[in-house]
Amino acid sequence: KFVRNGSGWVVKGLKCVHLYITKYNPMRVGSYIPLPEPIKKKRTLLNIQNTDNKCLKWAVLAARHPTSVHANRTTSYKHYEGEINDSGITWPIPISQIPKFERQNRCFHGF
């Protein structure tokens, strides 16, 4: 910091270093995760209840086909399922396969 700001100061040593290590536990994705109560009460986020690990598929279909009746249920979008080409996609979809999903579903890209 000091050198970058032009002070010319140089750190020669440290008296103490505190190092904290923890296990990285990334958020689980793929299936339904209940929303925290404050977010749920705002009623501004659609959280589709699914058990098949295809959360991205349901989110894309929900965005393309809005409904006011049971919008949080997969049954509201099952009849549109054929619009999604998910051949070769593993579910839950890893981040590395999202470009493939987008290529296979150009009509949904940037919806």
Side-chain angles (χ1 to χ4, degrees):
K1 176 178 174 184
F2 300 117
V3 173
R4 184 177 63 231
N5 293 334
S7 71
W9 290 16
V10 176
V11 176
K12 289 186 178 182
L14 300 171
K15 286 186 177 186
C16 181
V17 174
H18 292 274
L19 179 62
Y20 297 93
I21 300 173
T22 186
K23 181 181 176 185
Y24 174 64
N25 189 11
M27 190 170 130
R28 182 180 66 88
V29 298
S31 193
Y32 174 74
I33 300 171
L35 294 173
E37 231 14 76
I39 295 172
K40 187 177 180 180
K41 285 181 181 179
K42 289 182 180 183
R43 301 180 58 93
T44 58
L45 186 66
L46 181 57
N47 191 17
I48 301 171
Q49 296 178 358
N50 69 310
T51 57
D52 60 4
N53 286 327
K54 297 181 179 182
C55 63
L56 178 63
K57 177 188 251 185
W58 301 120
V60 169
L61 290 173
R64 290 288 294 201
H65 303 285
T67 181
S68 57
V69 180
H70 304 301
N72 64 324
R73 297 182 185 174
T74 58
T75 54
S76 297
Y77 312 103
K78 285 232 185 246
H79 50 284
Y80 300 115
E81 212 174 347
E83 295 179 8
I84 301 284
N85 176 1
D86 61 354
S87 59
I89 301 291
T90 56
W91 299 102
I93 189 167
I95 292 173
S96 62
Q97 285 189 352
I98 290 176
K100 179 179 183 177
F101 180 88
E102 289 176 334
R103 278 191 309 274
Q104 291 179 187
N105 298 281
R106 290 260 183 228
C107 61
F108 294 109
H109 183 70
F111 59 87

